[in-house]
Amino acid sequence: MTDNPIPTPDAPTVVPADESPTTESHRRGPAFKPTHPVALAPVGSPPHSVDGFVREFLHELNTTQGVALSRSSVNDQYLALATTVRNYLMARWLETGRKTHEAQAKTIGYLSAEYLLGRQLGNALLATQLNDIAEKGLAACGLDLATLRSQEVEPGLGNGGLGRLAACFIDSLATMNVPCIGYGIRYEYGIFRQTFVDGRQVEQPDTWLSLGSPWEFPHPESAVQVDFAGHTETYDDHGVTRSRWIPEWNVLGVPYNYMVPGYLNGRVNTLRLWSAQATKAFDLQIFNAGDYASAVRAQTFAENISKVLYPEDSTPQGKELRLQQQYFFVACSLRDFINELDPDFDLHKLPERIIYQLNDTHPVIAVPELMRILVDEKKWEWDEAWEVTKQCFAYTCHTLLPEALEVWPVSLLGRLLPRHLEIIYRINDEFLAEVREAFPGDELRARRMSIIAEYPERGVRMAYLATIAGTKVNGVAALHSQLLRDKVLPDFSEMWPDKFTNVTNGITPRRFIRMANPKLSELVTDAIGSGWVTDLERLQELEPYADDEDFREGFRKAKAWNKERLANLLVQRDGISLPPGHLVDVMVKRLHEYKRQSLKIMHVISLYEQVLSGKITASDITPRTVVFGAKAAPGYKMAKDTIYLINAVAKTVNADPRLEGRLTVAFPANYNVTLAEKLIPAADLSEQISLAGMEASGTGNMKFALNGALTIGTDDGANVEIRELVGDENFFLFGMREPEVAALAASGYNPGSLYANNPQLKATIDLIASGVFSSDPHAFDGIVGNLLHQDRFMVFADFDSYMAEQAEVERAYADEDRWTRSAILNVARCGFFSSDRAMRDYLKRIWHTGPLL
């Protein structure tokens, strides 16, 4: 037995204050005035020359990796290269921190559960203009830059559009010279590495840290303690009754800093990711008693918090872990920024120094956390704390699906964060008093707007809390923002119409054109100069070149080069062979029913059925390769069944000689940013086929259009704005508009009737049900039954329109000049979709700050 029981999920402990790091370990700066001239000088950067680069590289290889060039492994060489390039950014990073601190500049605190960064080396080489120098320097050492670049493992810090958007935004803010700290979690194993076993998705740990991560800087001396569970109590504070939280257990959040370089401007912002560690990780007494597993149980329990992105939450334990994650990273982030302020800083002026952008509902628990700090720790009055808090947050909603707006059970939140639940109750009580005053006698409205939901169980509606506390609420595309006001949060938009705004998403042209598509970038730069990389609206200058025969030929050669590059990668990466000369038709995005991957694979199945039944011949099909890329959430059965159907169809049609190789399907596993950078530039056709009114925005649609793919899509999300900009003649529009979708749903949608009365739709579904794609005749009963009897996202209703527009795609593709001209105009007219423009919109409409000059 021991007097200090090991924490378990049932009985964690709190570490006493005297066991925390000493004050001395938190000191900033020297203990006394330095005298050496080098110590007094600014931080230097290695010489920007081949010789300087080689010396720095060999120094890192020898002293950091501890190996000679002659005995170094490829991983040694990559790590030395990464740290060398990192060193060229170091002086800029430290100088950025100094200038920001001295200017007391307002900072954007971007709170996001995901950052889908992609590989860092290429972006760092681009930002430092080192690519040619590195290539020559490494060649002089007998090394190949491309080989070392391929050694890098992509950070497992995100899943899809939300995380990729966050990465684009922090890139743009650095490029625009705006102070920003991105805050998130350093997931040890990411979301998962997707593999296929007999066509079914199997999740494997994403061991992205196993060979080292040279781009991060751990700072254990700056660890933040985060408390959980326990109870609250009231006490008398000189005649004032106050509350305090008596936590039951706690963990440490250790910050890992990543550099976020701006493009050729000298600024390097910071991404700060938090890793969970136990406050008391190892019990020597229990270890010496021979119970080795129990001796480290506290460490295991604490570290679960930052193990994986979006832990499976179909169990109570999974739900609790997700809430632990969310509170963990925002508690660390708020404490971190406040701790970095000068000791005499007046927190009443906190909104002048930072605004926290809540990237979806995941970080919304930050609102009651800031209130707790101000009211409980700083002993402010409630009203003054609430006034400051309301100025420190803004909320971006990324969804229109009710199930995607987080609602935490009161029982769970009260058990894990009891003081925060008390604060939320008071926020709600005071807010509902405002509602009743503004709308007297309308008690149903008050119930609808309450932060606390009563059905099906008592829960805290995090989107409502964010809307009440935020200075602004924004959607991420024009249609989405309108539907957000009209359908998702209509009572709130009626009460506060000026609080709602729109910022259409954007993507960074540095990574997704300049880096990902070098041949197109060269063509564009030769035509209009290099300034487009930071001023993407300049792509409009390409419009006249759409009618230039030489430019069209150069554009086609760039696309062909991209296709060849993709084919080489897929052979090496996945053993997938892409037939030459095919239209490359791409649908890559998170696997979800509303995105309608099922409609895309039904198009393939329908073409296959028509050949089998003799309605058409193989020669009638335009040679086409359909490429899918998607991960399904581990507990999302319908999504995983759809993956199995896609792979089963691919296996069948790719092997059927009756198709004469004119229709193939490819589904490379583990789609990520690294693959996207090769796949998107190679695409001819971009599939953006969600049911109208379901997709918030999309950013893949922007990447494809800016890289010269034409879009087939519904009027949904940012598709609406893409179509308006590029013109109807350069966009393949199909399907119902959102009002038609709403009307059909209201009138009583009957997918079974559509199946019975549409011969080609019936033949397509019957082929799936026949067992031709699987040895198990019932393998796809779930998909077929769902479509026939529910079809929540109206695949059947849009089937005919989609098939007709795909026929139009084939006619357009047959006219090479017409297709190329449309593709060039897509590039030329989509400069609006830069994340730089999106950041300017946020700065003007929401954050009310600007670049640090």
Side-chain angles (χ1 to χ4, degrees):
M1 296 294 290
T2 175
D3 294 331
N4 296 302
I6 296 298
T8 68
D10 300 314
T13 60
V14 173
V15 169
D18 60 5
E19 294 188 30
S20 61
T22 65
T23 303
E24 186 70 16
S25 70
H26 288 84
R27 185 212 307 278
R28 292 286 186 266
F32 47 87
K33 185 176 177 63
T35 57
H36 197 285
V38 176
L40 293 169
V43 176
S45 183
H48 207 269
S49 64
V50 172
D51 285 346
F53 184 89
V54 169
R55 289 191 184 93
E56 192 72 15
F57 171 74
L58 292 175
H59 174 78
E60 290 295 334
L61 188 66
N62 299 155
T63 62
T64 302
Q65 295 307 114
V67 294
L69 177 61
S70 61
R71 300 290 296 166
S72 59
S73 67
V74 174
N75 193 58
D76 288 328
Q77 296 157 12
Y78 160 70
L79 291 173
L81 171 60
T83 50
T84 298
V85 176
R86 192 183 73 178
N87 292 347
Y88 279 86
L89 287 171
M90 191 67 64
R92 306 180 193 185
W93 190 32
L94 299 176
E95 181 66 6
T96 294
R98 183 191 67 78
K99 286 182 177 179
T100 302
H101 180 76
E102 287 183 356
Q104 303 287 287
K106 186 173 182 178
T107 295
I108 313 305
Y110 202 77
L111 298 174
S112 179
E114 298 184 43
Y115 290 92
L116 199 57
L117 299 174
R119 289 173 171 174
Q120 295 296 286
L121 178 58
N123 192 54
L125 287 168
L126 185 66
T128 52
Q129 290 184 296
L130 276 174
N131 203 77
D132 290 343
I133 287 174
E135 191 165 20
K136 292 174 183 176
L138 290 172
C141 297
L143 303 174
D144 176 55
L145 175 59
T147 299
L148 300 192
R149 289 179 68 158
S150 67
Q151 183 71 13
E152 182 175 0
V153 179
E154 180 177 318
L157 300 171
N159 175 32
L162 184 80
R164 187 54 238 162
L165 185 75
C168 287
F169 281 4
I170 61 174
D171 170 271
S172 283
L173 288 169
T175 296
M176 296 166 65
N177 207 27
V178 175
C180 171
I181 303 176
Y183 286 114
I185 298 177
R186 179 183 178 264
Y187 300 103
E188 186 176 347
Y189 292 108
I191 183 166
F192 58 82
R193 183 173 62 85
Q194 182 190 52
T195 59
F196 296 139
V197 177
D198 296 328
R200 295 189 181 274
Q201 174 179 293
V202 175
E203 301 86 26
Q204 301 288 346
D206 179 6
T207 56
W208 68 280
L209 289 166
S210 61
L211 293 178
S213 178
W215 301 103
E216 62 183 18
F217 296 84
H219 285 281
E221 78 288 349
S222 297
V224 174
Q225 182 172 298
V226 181
D227 297 324
F228 291 98
H231 64 278
T232 65
E233 64 181 22
T234 58
Y235 67 101
D236 181 78
D237 179 32
H238 304 290
V240 178
T241 301
R242 296 192 179 278
S243 296
R244 61 187 166 206
W245 180 16
I246 312 299
E248 186 177 349
W249 57 279
N250 49 40
V251 300
L252 289 178
V254 176
Y256 285 73
N257 290 336
Y258 283 71
M259 294 187 286
V260 183
Y263 179 68
L264 306 184
N265 69 345
R267 184 171 192 90
V268 182
N269 281 337
T270 299
L271 172 63
R272 187 160 298 151
L273 304 175
W274 300 94
S275 179
Q277 295 185 9
T279 46
K280 188 175 182 181
F282 179 70
D283 193 304
L284 183 60
Q285 291 179 339
I286 292 180
F287 183 86
N288 286 339
D291 191 351
Y292 305 134
S294 295
V296 294
R297 189 176 299 146
Q299 178 180 358
T300 302
F301 178 65
E303 291 180 357
N304 281 341
I305 292 175
S306 55
K307 284 289 185 195
V308 298
L309 170 65
Y310 301 147
E312 167 58 35
D313 64 350
S314 59
T315 65
Q317 296 91 335
K319 282 188 173 66
E320 182 162 346
L321 182 55
R322 281 207 186 192
L323 183 55
Q324 288 173 10
Q325 285 186 332
Q326 293 180 10
Y327 177 64
F328 165 75
F329 98 84
V330 300
C332 289
S333 303
L334 265 61
R335 181 72 63 185
D336 172 75
F337 190 84
I338 291 172
N339 286 350
E340 289 294 319
L341 295 169
D342 292 336
D344 59 350
F345 180 79
D346 180 2
L347 283 177
H348 291 88
K349 298 180 179 178
L350 187 61
E352 299 174 15
R353 292 297 304 278
I354 193 163
I355 183 164
Y356 292 104
Q357 189 67 34
L358 302 169
N359 193 31
D360 221 349
T361 52
H362 310 121
V364 173
I365 197 67
V367 172
E369 172 64 4
L370 182 56
M371 285 295 290
R372 186 191 68 81
I373 292 171
L374 297 178
V375 172
D376 293 1
E377 296 184 7
K378 305 301 180 182
K379 302 188 186 305
W380 286 17
E381 293 303 312
W382 177 273
D383 289 346
E384 63 176 333
W386 185 234
E387 282 305 308
V388 167
T389 296
K390 286 192 298 181
Q391 297 175 67
C392 286
F393 293 99
Y395 166 50
T396 300
C397 178
H398 286 277
T399 187
L400 292 166
L401 298 175
E403 62 266 31
L405 297 172
E406 288 181 309
V407 179
W408 289 111
V410 162
S411 57
L412 170 59
L413 207 152
R415 183 174 71 252
L416 198 65
L417 301 169
R419 180 58 180 143
H420 297 75
L421 183 59
E422 291 179 352
I423 291 170
I424 291 168
Y425 277 147
R426 181 163 177 182
I427 293 171
N428 194 47
D429 288 344
E430 298 195 359
F431 166 67
L432 291 182
E434 288 185 52
V435 174
R436 292 182 176 110
E437 182 179 348
F439 303 96
D442 194 348
E443 190 58 29
L444 284 178
R445 179 187 294 269
R447 291 186 184 185
R448 290 197 307 268
M449 297 181 75
S450 174
I451 298 171
I452 308 300
E454 301 294 341
Y455 181 82
E457 64 175 327
R458 232 163 169 248
V460 177
R461 297 190 271 214
M462 303 305 282
Y464 288 17
L465 176 58
T467 301
I468 293 163
T471 60
K472 290 286 185 180
V473 177
N474 74 281
V476 289
L479 175 63
H480 172 245
S481 293
Q482 188 62 49
L483 293 173
L484 182 65
R485 288 188 292 265
D486 294 347
K487 295 197 171 184
V488 180
L489 298 169
D491 292 317
F492 293 92
S493 65
E494 184 180 355
M495 185 169 179
W496 295 314
D498 294 339
K499 182 176 280 198
F500 286 77
T501 188
N502 172 63
V503 178
T504 298
N505 283 340
I507 61 105
T508 169
R510 269 74 64 184
R511 181 176 290 273
F512 282 106
I513 307 179
R514 178 64 182 80
M515 281 173 53
N517 204 336
K519 296 298 183 183
L520 178 61
S521 296
E522 291 169 12
L523 189 67
V524 172
T525 299
D526 287 346
I528 66 172
S530 61
W532 62 271
V533 180
T534 52
D535 183 7
L536 205 60
E537 297 278 8
R538 282 198 56 201
L539 290 180
Q540 295 173 5
E541 298 170 30
L542 289 175
E543 283 217 28
Y545 290 92
D547 296 315
D548 183 294
E549 186 176 343
D550 290 339
F551 190 87
R552 288 200 303 268
E553 181 59 26
F555 191 91
R556 284 191 289 267
K557 286 181 178 178
K559 183 65 73 173
W561 184 88
N562 286 323
K563 288 184 178 183
E564 184 177 356
R565 180 180 62 164
L566 174 65
N568 292 335
L569 173 68
L570 290 182
V571 165
Q572 297 168 10
R573 182 187 186 271
D574 303 276
I576 294 173
S577 296
L578 292 188
H582 277 212
L583 182 155
V584 177
D585 178 358
V586 180
M587 186 172 191
V588 288
K589 49 187 78 254
R590 179 169 51 92
L591 204 305
H592 197 290
E593 288 168 272
Y594 86 83
K595 295 178 184 287
R596 303 203 295 190
Q597 284 91 348
S598 55
L599 180 57
K600 176 69 256 179
I601 198 61
M602 282 172 60
H603 170 231
V604 174
I605 295 167
S606 179
L607 290 176
Y608 183 49
E609 189 282 329
Q610 290 177 67
V611 171
L612 295 185
S613 63
K615 297 169 192 166
I616 63 174
T617 65
S619 60
D620 293 325
I621 298 175
T622 295
R624 180 192 302 243
T625 293
V626 179
V627 183
F628 290 90
K631 290 182 179 180
Y636 193 169
K637 184 178 186 304
M638 187 58 65
K640 296 180 85 167
D641 286 349
T642 303
I643 286 177
Y644 180 47
L645 174 61
I646 294 168
N647 279 324
V649 171
K651 183 178 180 181
T652 302
V653 302
N654 293 353
D656 195 326
R658 289 171 290 187
L659 288 171
E660 300 174 4
R662 298 176 70 87
L663 179 63
T664 64
V665 179
F667 197 158
N670 205 49
Y671 178 69
N672 57 13
V673 177
T674 303
L675 178 55
E677 290 171 359
K678 304 294 193 298
L679 178 54
I680 290 171
D684 294 304
L685 187 66
S686 164
E687 300 276 349
Q688 309 297 332
I689 61 176
S690 54
L691 178 64
M694 293 292 141
E695 183 68 81
S697 167
T699 52
N701 47 6
M702 304 169 188
K703 295 167 194 162
F704 281 106
L706 281 163
N707 279 275
L710 303 191
T711 302
I712 181 168
T714 52
D715 246 358
D716 196 25
N719 288 358
V720 177
E721 289 152 284
I722 292 175
R723 182 177 61 82
E724 289 173 350
L725 286 168
V726 305
D728 286 345
E729 68 278 12
N730 302 307
F731 186 104
F732 299 101
L733 176 67
F734 78 96
M736 298 176 288
R737 272 57 165 195
E738 189 277 332
E740 296 171 288
V741 172
L744 181 57
S747 66
Y749 176 53
N750 183 358
S753 175
L754 288 173
Y755 164 81
N757 293 295
N758 185 323
Q760 189 53 47
L761 173 61
K762 184 177 187 301
T764 301
I765 296 300
D766 288 350
L767 191 62
I768 298 173
S770 71
V772 71
F773 299 117
S774 174
S775 57
D776 177 2
H778 302 293
F780 306 116
D781 285 357
I783 291 176
V784 171
N786 178 274
L787 289 171
L788 282 172
H789 302 297
Q790 184 179 14
D791 191 17
R792 178 184 172 193
F793 300 107
M794 301 184 178
V795 171
F796 284 8
D798 275 348
F799 177 79
D800 268 357
S801 176
Y802 181 61
M803 293 296 293
E805 200 61 24
Q806 286 287 0
E808 179 58 32
V809 167
E810 297 193 358
R811 285 189 288 272
Y813 192 71
D815 185 341
E816 185 177 62
D817 270 348
R818 172 190 168 187
W819 186 277
T820 305
R821 185 179 185 279
S822 288
I824 293 169
L825 290 175
N826 265 257
V827 177
R829 294 174 179 175
C830 282
F832 171 79
F833 297 108
S834 168
S835 51
D836 299 349
R837 186 272 316 150
M839 290 298 89
R840 287 193 295 272
D841 288 349
Y842 272 96
L843 289 165
K844 180 181 179 181
R845 300 174 190 173
I846 298 173
W847 299 333
H848 305 300
T849 185
L852 180 61
L853 301 177

